[in-house]
Amino acid sequence: MTLDINEIMKRLPHRYPFLLVDRIEELVKGERVVGVKNVTINEPFFQGHFPGHPVMPGVLIIEAMAQVGGVFAIISDEIGSDMVTYFTGIDKARFRKPVRPGDVLRMHLELLNCKRGLYCFRGKAYVDDKLVAEADLKATFAPKENG
């Protein structure tokens, strides 16, 4: 299964400037997902991180992986738009190489397990087949609160 940006936006609530996934290249329900973020100099965070030496913040690489995992969970388990995603843990995060404008960030997430609605993923992010970041991510879904 593949998804373009329009299909992603039907599933994720994120919007500019916080939507950090452009395409899902592969999705195998209950197993794994591969998503892509095209990193451009137009990203608002590059204005301050860092002037004259733009580097994508590591926390946003982690967020991009989490959004790819969110698409995976929403599709795999048919989670409705009445639910919201909550991060519950980030473990073993490592940043190997900087991500710069012009890079294509390819994120591979493997579902480790899902028990009682808690999703556990192992995520790895690559640029040109070189590992740039990795982390174990945990998230859950809860009903949106009104108000």
Side-chain angles (χ1 to χ4, degrees), residues 107-124:
M107 297 155 287
H108 296 246
L109 277 79
E110 171 190 358
L111 181 67
L112 299 176
N113 62 55
C114 181
K115 295 181 182 172
R116 294 182 296 238
L118 180 65
Y119 292 80
C120 299
F121 292 98
R122 173 143 306 130
K124 294 185 177 186

Side-chain angles (χ1 to χ4, degrees), residues 37-97:
K37 165 70 178 150
N38 296 301
V39 182
T40 75
I41 193 63
N42 296 321
E43 310 290 347
F45 50 80
F46 284 135
Q47 289 180 357
H49 200 268
F50 300 100
H53 185 75
V55 175
M56 185 174 184
V59 68
L60 294 181
I61 297 169
I62 297 291
E63 174 63 27
M65 285 195 286
Q67 289 180 19
V68 170
V71 171
F72 170 88
I74 288 165
I75 289 175
S76 289
D77 291 338
E78 298 179 10
I79 295 169
S81 61
D82 59 331
M83 304 292 275
V84 64
T85 310
Y86 288 107
F87 244 142
T88 59
I90 304 167
D91 297 313
K92 301 178 185 173
R94 298 288 179 264
F95 303 99
R96 308 289 182 194
K97 295 186 180 300

Side-chain angles (χ1 to χ4, degrees), residues 13-49:
H14 305 79
R15 294 296 179 265
Y16 177 85
F18 216 68
L19 180 59
L20 298 173
V21 57
D22 295 319
R23 184 174 64 249
I24 298 295
E25 290 187 335
E26 176 184 358
L27 191 150
V28 179
K29 289 183 179 183
E31 291 182 28
R32 67 184 179 279
V33 61
V34 177
V36 171
K37 165 70 178 150
N38 296 301
V39 182
T40 75
I41 193 63
N42 296 321
E43 310 290 347
F45 50 80
F46 284 135
Q47 289 180 357
H49 200 268

